[in-house]
Amino acid sequence: MNHKSGLMYSFAAIAAITVLSQTDDISAASTHTVRAGDTLWSISQQHNLSLSTLKSVNNLSSDRIAIGQTLKLSSGPVTLTATSTTTQVKRTTTANLNLRAGAGTTHSVLLTIPKGQTLTPLKTSGAWSQVTYNGKTGWVHNDFLSQVSAAPKPVVPAAPKPVATVVTPSAATTSKTTANLNLRASKSTSARVLVTIPKGQTVTVLKVEGTWSHIKYGSQTGFVANTYLTKASASASTSAPTAPSAPAQPAQVKEESINVSYVTTANLNVRQGAGVGFALVTTVPNGTTVTATKQNGSWVYVTYNGKSGYVSTGFLKQTTTTPSAPVAPNLGDAGAGNTDVDYIVNTPSLNVRASATTSSSVIGSVTAGQTLRVVQTANGWHQIYIGNTTGFVSASFVKQVPKGTAATPTWVSGSFDSHTFFTANPAAIRAQANETSPIVGSTLRGGLLNVIGETATHYRLAEGFVAKSFVTQVNGKSAQATRLATIAVAQRFVGTPYVWASSSPVNGGFDCSGIIFYAFNQAGVNIPRTNVANYWGGAYFGPQLPKSFTPQAGDLVFFENTYTAGPSHMGIMINADTFIHAGTSGLGYNQISKEPYWQSRLIGYKRP
């Protein structure tokens, strides 16, 4: 799209209204200049206006706006309402609160007012109040002020006028939602979302507080923005209220210890305390995995780059799945509730995961021949007991045997690292250890095999079985020795330039897949010349290993989305963190843990 034509944005392009973005405060400017990404709806929410009012003030007949367009936020100058000089309502800060030069978060911070300080508002402007503290006058956000009741006068007061801030209906009233509406834990767009109420649902209004309503929906109570509710069926009582009693002290949220992993879904502020009024500590980038150790309401305590503080759970996605409550097993039962069969691990080592997916985190492992205590089975996964919790294993690597027989696996496991195994020509990989079993894959000409077990006639690979008659075994040269030899070859050329499509030093250098081809062939492994995507996606060098795998010297590391989309770069690990590769600066070393560029593009590993 031509940027000079003025990018147009349409409110109608938004698929669903999911109320409200995270902001510390709400701006109260008299005009708004449209920026990239703005919509009429987002502008109306930012400035506490209804959409219809914003369109009416600017004489808009549609929802289309342009970058750079100036929108009026009211039909005339912004009116600052002075507070009553006779009442002098005092307020107390409920958190460490920034005093700003103007009514909006874009204004500079004059000072920070500590929690628990008593202030007297001079004026109000939307969601902001003008106050004086320590000789400085500025603006604070009303969400972090609570009212302090004045001491009663000895004389009998005249009938007080109703206070408009909080309206309590004389009887429960009902309203309908005009859009899909988030029910929040408190009066803030950064508060935790309890549930999303569908458009057109009837809710019970318990109390109206400024621009928010305290409502009940089903069995849950919380707060919603008034903008998306129809008018209550019954108006609030206007009779003279009785003298207010001292406000009850808000219940303190109990902080509890947790151990939960999350991924951030946006660039997320870390604060000194559990609330937006606390000072910033640092910012965690979008897509970062963090571990929460404490929870305080809708805030959790995390550590990032050596700095700790609280972040809102509204912008975190949990990465670990808490197992469902385990079914009580029968005493000594290998399959809980099952009296017919036992479940036996039929592979050398099997990962136990937090949930029933291969992308879930690994929480342990079980070994060949181990009898499992199965809770339940579904969709190709067994939920099993492990330690004092439960986890999930793939049912493909577990076999069932008659109860109590605990038959041994049909193949044996052992250490095969004292030899190198390869196939001189492509050979079939079969599902079982016989030549009539279905073919599930093929080996490569000269490709190394990762042998993890054997029968009398077949070697077992991670993918299946290969007949021993097709496999060549070289005694005295282990697979690890071969892997280390590739490092030695590559290290001879450290400092040579990057040369596109080169796989030989006679060209003056290498590209990333070229040095892999050269190093392995020099180490005695005959592999074909191809590109990174084929080395990663094909059967070369054995099965793909996830990012969570801990590599060793000689393992291959793969990256994606470098100069092109998908698998596009590779290297050889020289320890668990450092790899050697042909990069744009030539053949050299990089360290994954200290370089975000490589961390963010890591796909996984392979072990030749």
Side-chain angles (χ1 to χ4, degrees):
M1 183 180 287
N2 186 349
H3 292 282
K4 294 182 180 180
S5 65
L7 297 176
M8 305 301 290
Y9 293 83
S10 172
F11 173 74
I14 299 177
I17 300 173
T18 56
V19 179
L20 301 169
S21 60
Q22 180 186 30
T23 55
D24 285 356
D25 310 297
I26 301 174
S27 175
S30 60
T31 62
H32 179 95
T33 301
V34 177
R35 300 181 296 271
D38 280 352
T39 65
L40 280 179
W41 177 80
S42 68
I43 295 169
S44 70
Q45 291 303 297
Q46 181 180 352
H47 296 284
N48 234 7
L49 295 174
S50 69
L51 185 61
S52 59
T53 298
L54 184 60
K55 292 176 69 174
S56 173
V57 167
N58 291 276
N59 297 319
L60 298 176
S61 58
S62 72
D63 297 319
R64 297 174 68 82
I65 54 177
I67 293 175
Q69 180 178 350
T70 300
L71 300 177
K72 293 187 294 183
L73 302 179
S74 64
S75 56
V78 176
T79 301
L80 301 182
T81 305
T83 58
S84 170
T85 55
T86 57
T87 306
Q88 290 294 305
V89 177
K90 295 184 181 296
R91 307 263 179 186
T92 300
T93 57
T94 59
N96 295 339
L97 185 56
N98 288 335
L99 180 69
R100 296 184 179 271
T105 56
T106 57
H107 295 280
S108 60
V109 176
L110 304 177
L111 55 81
T112 299
I113 305 171
K115 178 180 178 182
Q117 297 298 302
T118 300
L119 306 172
T120 302
L122 307 175
K123 297 177 183 177
T124 60
S125 174
W128 294 78
S129 292
Q130 188 183 46
V131 299
T132 298
Y133 180 77
N134 273 3
K136 291 187 179 291
T137 300
W139 295 83
V140 294
H141 199 276
N142 296 337
D143 276 356
F144 304 99
L145 297 176
S146 65
Q147 186 171 332
V148 179
S149 59
K153 296 181 179 180
V155 295
V156 178
K161 295 180 181 180
V163 179
T165 3
V166 177
V167 180
T168 305
S170 55
T173 61
T174 57
S175 290
K176 282 193 175 182
T177 56
T178 60
N180 294 338
L181 184 55
N182 287 337
L183 180 67
R184 296 185 178 270
S186 62
K187 298 178 294 178
S188 171
T189 58
S190 61
R192 179 168 55 93
V193 175
L194 305 176
V195 68
T196 299
I197 307 172
K199 178 181 178 180
Q201 294 297 301
T202 300
V203 298
T204 302
V205 179
L206 306 176
K207 187 181 294 185
V208 179
E209 304 184 27
T211 60
W212 293 84
S213 288
H214 188 199
I215 69 162
K216 183 175 182 180
Y217 174 68
S219 61
Q220 293 188 298
T221 59
F223 293 86
V224 296
N226 297 339
T227 310
Y228 301 100
L229 291 179
T230 58
K231 190 175 181 180
S233 59
S235 59
S237 172
T238 56
S239 59
T242 57
S245 58
Q249 191 70 18
Q252 298 296 316
V253 178
K254 183 180 179 182
E255 189 164 83
E256 58 181 347
S257 296
I258 60 173
N259 184 18
V260 181
S261 293
Y262 294 96
V263 173
T264 58
T265 59
N267 294 337
L268 188 54
N269 289 335
V270 180
R271 298 184 177 275
Q272 288 181 352
V276 293
F278 290 92
L280 286 177
V281 177
T282 185
T283 299
V284 183
N286 182 16
T288 303
T289 300
V290 293
T291 300
T293 56
K294 292 185 288 188
Q295 181 160 6
N296 189 323
S298 61
W299 294 76
V300 292
Y301 188 82
V302 302
T303 298
Y304 174 72
N305 275 355
K307 295 183 179 181
S308 300
Y310 291 83
V311 296
S312 170
T313 56
F315 297 90
L316 295 176
K317 178 181 179 182
Q318 189 171 336
T319 60
T320 55
T321 302
T322 304
S324 57
V327 179
N330 298 331
L331 290 177
D333 188 11
N338 191 314
T339 58
D340 299 322
V341 298
D342 283 331
Y343 297 89
I344 309 297
V345 180
N346 199 36
T347 189
S349 180
L350 180 58
N351 286 333
V352 181
R353 298 185 178 274
S355 59
T357 170
T358 54
S359 61
S360 177
S361 58
V362 176
I363 62 174
S365 64
V366 289
T367 56
Q370 186 172 337
T371 302
L372 303 179
R373 300 173 63 205
V374 175
V375 178
Q376 56 187 344
T377 301
N379 301 321
W381 291 82
H382 293 309
Q383 184 182 23
I384 68 168
Y385 289 96
I386 179 169
N388 57 2
T389 185
T390 62
F392 295 84
V393 295
S394 172
S396 304
F397 300 101
V398 178
K399 71 175 184 177
Q400 300 178 29
V401 299
K403 195 74 171 180
T405 61
T408 57
T410 56
W411 52 272
V412 296
S413 62
S415 174
F416 295 88
D417 212 30
S418 58
H419 308 284
T420 293
F421 299 87
F422 67 94
T423 50
N425 294 291
I429 302 176
R430 298 186 179 273
Q432 301 297 330
N434 62 73
E435 291 306 287
T436 61
S437 179
I439 296 175
V440 295
S442 175
T443 66
L444 297 173
R445 179 174 62 87
L448 292 178
L449 305 182
N450 184 21
V451 176
I452 57 177
E454 65 178 334
T455 68
T457 57
H458 287 72
Y459 286 117
R460 182 179 177 106
L461 315 178
E463 304 94 326
F465 295 85
V466 177
K468 287 183 175 179
S469 58
F470 296 117
V471 177
T472 300
Q473 176 180 318
V474 181
N475 295 325
K477 186 177 182 182
S478 69
Q480 178 64 5
T482 301
R483 293 192 287 267
L484 294 177
T486 65
I487 296 176
V489 172
Q491 286 177 326
R492 295 205 304 265
F493 299 97
V494 168
T496 58
Y498 178 89
V499 176
W500 174 259
S502 173
S503 58
S504 172
V506 300
N507 300 319
F510 302 88
D511 68 5
C512 67
S513 56
I515 186 61
I516 303 299
F517 168 82
Y518 183 80
F520 273 86
N521 278 275
Q522 289 294 307
V525 181
N526 182 18
I527 61 169
R529 175 71 165 106
T530 184
N531 59 21
V532 175
N534 285 332
Y535 280 145
W536 172 250
Y540 307 93
F541 310 118
Q544 296 173 356
L545 302 170
K547 292 190 289 186
S548 58
F549 177 76
T550 302
Q552 297 177 1
D555 291 342
L556 296 178
V557 59
F558 291 82
F559 303 92
E560 62 183 347
N561 305 333
T562 54
Y563 73 94
T564 188
S568 54
H569 195 72
M570 64 189 301
I572 307 173
M573 302 300 298
I574 63 170
N575 55 39
D577 190 34
T578 303
F579 64 101
I580 185 170
H581 67 125
T584 54
S585 299
L587 205 156
Y589 304 94
N590 282 90
Q591 203 167 351
I592 297 174
S593 66
K594 295 184 178 180
E595 299 177 65
Y597 178 87
W598 297 113
Q599 288 178 19
S600 63
R601 290 163 173 78
L602 176 64
I603 309 175
Y605 304 90
K606 281 193 170 186
R607 173 160 291 172

